[in-house]
Amino acid sequence: MFPGGFGSKSKAQKPTNAEFDKTKRNKTIVKTRAEQIKFNVEEDDLDDFTPALPPRSNRNENIGSDDDDDSFEDDDEETIVSQPNFPITNEVQLLDHGRVVCALSLDPAGSRLITGSRDCFVKMWDFAGMNESLRPFRAIEPCGGNPITDLNFSTTGDNFLIASGEWIPKLYSRDGVLVNEFMKGDMGHVAALTSSSWHPNEKGTFMTTAGDSTVRIWDVEQKRSQKTVICVKSKVRGGISRITAGTYSGDGRIIVAGAEDGALRIWNSNGPFISPTKTLESAHQPNSAITSIVLPSDTFTIISRGMDDTLKLFDMRNFKSPVQTISSLPTFFEETNVILSPDERYLLTGLSVKKGDSKLGSLKIIDRIRFEVVGEFDVGEGSAVKCLWNERINQIIVGMGSGGVHVLFDPDLSTNGAKLCIGKEKKTKVADELLDFQEQIFLPNTLPFAKDDLPSEIVDRRPTTMRSRKERDARKPDMPHTLGPGKGGKIGSSLTAHLMKGIIKDTSRDEDPREAFLRHAQNAEDDPYWVNPAYKKTQPKPVYAEHVHEDEDEAKRDAKK
C-alpha cells in the first residue's frame, strides 16, 4: 500500500480511560479524623495572624471546594471546610536513581523535570518526549562525586542551578550543558552548599547558602566573584553555624535564612547586610537544622520546617516566638521541605520512616489558615523527602528515600505533565539492535588456512601495510599471566614470592662499606693486576720518612735528643 499522505505527522491520540486505570492508586489516599472538619471561627482570631488569601486562578479552581471561597464570612456561624480535591488519584513512578532523591525542580511550563540524588547524578525528564518506559533523556554527574543538595530552574526556565556537596555553584542550560561555573575560596564559598534560590524579579540574580556560615548573592554574568556576602554570626561557640536554608520573599524584598543553631534571620534584600534586620535565636531547637522556609504572599508570615520534627508559623510583625507549632513530624533528612498549594490554602510536607519499617512514606496536609493537620496520604516505600506542586499542570511530585520519584495527578484536574506519557508505547528495536555477539569474530580472509587457498593475485591485491594491519587486529593477543598457580605451560607465582625474591638477594644494606673494600686489600697486594705490574721493573724502592714533624721547632727539639 502507498502512504496516505506526507508532511507532518498526525497528533498523538489522547490516553483512554483504560490506560488511565492502569495508573490508579490502589491504597486509601486520604486519612483524616472525619470527612469534614468543623471550626468555630471568630473575626478577632482572624485579625491576629490570618492574612487575606490571594485570588485563585482559573486553572486551579477545582483544587479546593466551593465552600472555601465563602469561608470565614460569618462571624458567629459555624463554618464547614470540606476536604479539598487533591490531584492524587493516579501516579507514575520514575525509577532511575540509586539513592535518596533530595532535589526536585520543574520548569515554569511544567514540561521538563530535573531530579537530584545522593548518588551524585542529575536526571533530566521530558514529559512530552517520554513513553511508557519512563526513562530520563539525559543523566549528568556535574559535581565529581558530591551529592546533590538543591536544584532550581530559573524564572524563565532556560537554565537551572545546581547546589551540591562541592563548594561551587554551577549553572546548566535546560538541555544539560554547562553554562557557568562560579568561584570558590576567597571569591566564593569555602564549604559545601546547602540550598539555592532565584530572585523572583531579577532574572540573573540568585542566592546560595553553605556550611561556611555565609549567604552569598550572585550574578550569572559575573562568575569570578559574588555580588554580596552576608556573614552570619552565631551565638554558639566559635560564632559560626551552618546555614541550611534560605529563600527570597515573593516580592524579592526580604531574605530569610535558617541555620543549624536553630535561629531564623531576616535581611532586606537591598541591604545593609552587616547585621540582620530581625533575628529569632530560639526559632527551633539548637543543633537541629532548619530544613525549609516558606514565605506566603502576605509578606509577613514565615513557615519553617526543622530537624526537631516540627513545623512552625512565625509573624514578622511580632518576631519573638512562634505563633503556632505542629510537632510529631519525623524528619531524617536535611533536604525535607514544606510547600504551599497553588492557592496558598494548604501546606504539604513529607514524613520520614525508619529503614526496614513497614510504614509507607506519606505527605501531611495542613490547613494554613488554622495551622492544623487536616489529612495525610501515603506515597510509597521509604521516606518522603522532597515535594513540589506545580500550578501550571496541577500535579504533585515527590522524591523518596528509596530513590524513586512519584508523580501524582488526576486525569480530570491535571493537564499535560505525566499524562502525556500514558499510552505511548515503547520504541521497538530493529533487527540489528537485537543481535548481541558474545564471542570474538575473525575475518575469514585473514586466517592462515584461507590465505593458502586464495590465488596470489587476490591475496596481494591490498597493500602490505593494510593487510598486516588487518591481520594484527583480527588476531587475539596472548593474555598476560595473572598472579596465582601456573597454567598453560607458564610458571605461576604469588605476590609474596615475587616480593621476597628481590628482598632476599639484596643484602648490601646490612654490610659495612669500609669492611667490604678492605676485604680485597690482601689479594691486591699478593697478586697485583692493574697498576703495579706496569711499573714493576722501573719503579724505585719506596723510602719512607721515619718521623714527620709538623713545624721547625719540633724538628729542632727532636735533633737535640
Side-chain angles (χ1 to χ4, degrees):
M1 295 179 63
F2 292 100
F6 299 94
S8 60
K9 297 181 180 179
S10 59
K11 294 183 178 180
Q13 296 181 356
K14 293 183 178 180
T16 61
N17 292 333
E19 291 171 335
F20 278 127
D21 290 341
K22 296 179 183 179
T23 64
K24 276 191 174 181
R25 296 165 55 84
N26 298 324
K27 297 181 180 295
T28 302
I29 303 301
V30 178
K31 301 177 292 186
T32 57
R33 296 188 300 272
E35 294 182 0
Q36 292 181 333
I37 303 173
K38 299 182 179 181
F39 298 113
N40 293 324
V41 182
E42 296 182 0
E43 186 176 0
D44 296 338
D45 296 336
L46 294 178
D47 292 338
D48 289 339
F49 67 95
T50 306
L53 292 176
R56 294 188 184 184
S57 62
N58 295 332
R59 188 186 306 277
N60 297 288
E61 60 185 1
N62 293 326
I63 294 178
S65 62
D66 295 334
D67 294 334
D68 294 341
D69 297 332
D70 300 328
S71 298
F72 311 113
E73 290 182 355
D74 299 330
D75 298 341
D76 301 329
E77 295 182 0
E78 185 183 61
T79 306
I80 299 177
V81 182
S82 61
Q83 183 66 36
N85 294 324
F86 287 87
I88 53 177
T89 58
N90 299 60
E91 74 169 352
V92 294
Q93 298 183 24
L94 310 179
L95 306 175
D96 204 69
H97 284 287
R99 299 184 66 183
V100 53
V101 178
C102 50
L104 297 172
S105 187
L106 198 63
D107 68 339
S111 61
R112 186 159 293 185
L113 172 70
I114 53 174
T115 59
S117 170
R118 290 187 179 178
D119 61 6
C120 309
F121 281 92
V122 173
K123 305 293 177 74
M124 307 182 68
W125 316 77
D126 188 2
F127 289 127
M130 279 196 301
N131 52 30
E132 287 185 342
S133 62
L134 301 176
R135 306 294 295 177
F137 74 90
R138 179 162 296 176
I140 57 176
E141 188 178 6
C143 302
N146 290 282
I148 308 300
T149 55
D150 200 7
L151 296 171
N152 274 294
F153 261 110
S154 63
T155 54
T156 56
D158 53 349
N159 296 319
F160 66 88
L161 190 65
I162 298 178
S164 68
E166 200 175 15
W167 302 355
I168 306 172
K170 294 186 178 182
L171 188 69
Y172 277 74
S173 69
R174 63 181 288 109
D175 295 322
V177 180
L178 180 64
V179 176
N180 249 341
E181 185 174 299
F182 298 89
M183 295 296 291
K184 65 178 181 179
D186 293 339
M187 299 300 177
H189 287 289
V190 293
L193 303 180
T194 55
S195 70
S196 62
S197 178
W198 288 93
H199 195 287
N201 299 328
E202 299 178 10
K203 178 182 176 182
T205 303
F206 66 90
M207 174 184 67
T208 57
T209 64
D212 57 2
S213 193
T214 63
V215 178
R216 299 176 189 258
I217 302 174
W218 306 78
D219 189 339
V220 295
E221 302 297 335
Q222 300 176 4
K223 66 178 183 179
R224 293 296 178 184
S225 64
Q226 66 278 335
K227 291 175 60 177
T228 305
V229 181
I230 305 175
C231 296
V232 178
K233 297 181 180 179
S234 176
K235 290 186 177 181
V236 299
R237 186 174 182 180
I240 296 176
S241 181
R242 290 177 63 244
I243 308 300
T244 54
T247 186
Y248 283 100
S249 61
D251 55 6
R253 297 181 179 179
I254 296 174
I255 296 175
V256 182
E260 195 174 35
D261 59 0
L264 279 173
R265 297 173 176 88
I266 303 173
W267 295 268
N268 292 323
S269 60
N270 295 329
F273 301 109
I274 299 175
S275 60
T277 306
K278 294 183 179 181
T279 303
L280 181 57
E281 296 290 345
S282 58
H284 287 265
Q285 290 183 5
N287 299 323
S288 61
I290 296 175
T291 62
S292 179
I293 301 172
V294 170
L295 278 72
S297 58
D298 54 42
T299 70
F300 57 81
T301 301
I302 299 177
I303 301 167
S304 63
R305 181 85 155 90
M307 291 288 289
D308 55 358
D309 300 343
T310 62
L311 182 70
K312 295 187 177 183
L313 173 69
F314 301 90
D315 190 341
M316 285 188 284
R317 297 170 299 183
N318 187 20
F319 202 54
K320 296 181 180 179
S321 62
V323 178
Q324 299 252 2
T325 302
I326 298 177
S327 56
S328 301
L329 303 175
T331 311
F332 303 153
F333 301 93
E334 286 192 1
E335 298 84 2
T336 304
N337 67 335
V338 57
I339 61 171
L340 285 163
S341 62
D343 63 353
E344 298 191 1
R345 175 63 189 272
Y346 297 97
L347 297 168
L348 293 181
T349 186
L351 303 183
S352 301
V353 295
K354 294 182 179 179
K355 190 175 182 180
D357 198 339
S358 59
K359 293 181 180 180
L360 298 177
S362 59
L363 291 181
K364 284 279 189 182
I365 305 173
I366 300 164
D367 189 293
R368 187 178 73 89
I369 296 177
R370 301 302 303 177
F371 211 71
E372 291 185 358
V373 176
V374 296
E376 178 183 353
F377 60 89
D378 296 331
V379 180
E381 296 182 359
S383 303
V385 181
K386 206 82 169 182
C387 59
L388 64 87
W389 190 343
N390 185 268
E391 179 182 6
R392 186 81 177 265
I393 61 177
N394 193 23
Q395 297 178 15
I396 300 174
I397 304 174
V398 186
M400 305 299 293
S402 59
V405 179
H406 294 246
V407 183
L408 311 179
F409 65 96
D410 188 298
D412 299 324
L413 302 178
S414 303
T415 58
N416 296 334
K419 292 174 61 178
L420 300 176
C421 311
I422 309 301
K424 285 188 179 180
E425 296 182 356
K426 299 180 183 179
K427 181 182 178 182
T428 56
K429 295 184 178 180
V430 296
D432 294 340
E433 296 178 357
L434 298 176
L435 298 177
D436 187 12
F437 297 100
Q438 300 294 336
E439 298 181 358
Q440 190 173 2
I441 300 175
F442 296 91
L443 300 177
N445 61 341
T446 61
L447 299 176
F449 66 85
K451 284 186 178 180
D452 297 339
D453 297 338
L454 292 175
S456 60
E457 61 271 12
I458 297 178
V459 174
D460 298 331
R461 181 176 298 171
R462 295 183 179 183
T464 305
T465 55
M466 179 66 71
R467 186 172 65 253
S468 61
R469 188 182 302 115
K470 292 291 185 182
E471 292 175 0
R472 184 188 63 215
D473 295 341
R475 185 172 62 252
K476 183 178 180 180
D478 295 335
M479 300 299 293
H481 180 66
T482 57
L483 297 175
K487 59 182 179 179
K490 297 181 180 180
I491 300 175
S493 174
S494 65
L495 180 60
T496 305
H498 175 72
L499 296 175
M500 294 300 297
K501 190 185 299 182
I503 295 174
I504 293 173
K505 277 186 176 181
D506 188 10
T507 59
S508 59
R509 294 183 178 181
D510 301 331
E511 193 173 359
D512 186 1
R514 183 175 180 279
E515 292 181 359
F517 182 76
L518 294 177
R519 186 168 52 207
H520 305 283
Q522 187 64 32
N523 293 336
E525 185 178 353
D526 297 342
D527 187 16
Y529 182 75
W530 296 106
V531 178
N532 290 346
Y535 301 98
K536 189 173 183 180
K537 295 181 180 180
T538 60
Q539 180 71 25
K541 185 178 180 181
V543 178
Y544 300 105
E546 296 181 357
H547 300 284
V548 178
H549 304 287
E550 295 182 0
D551 52 20
E552 295 180 358
D553 295 338
E554 187 177 355
K556 292 178 180 179
R557 287 195 300 271
D558 239 359
K560 290 181 180 180
K561 292 180 181 178

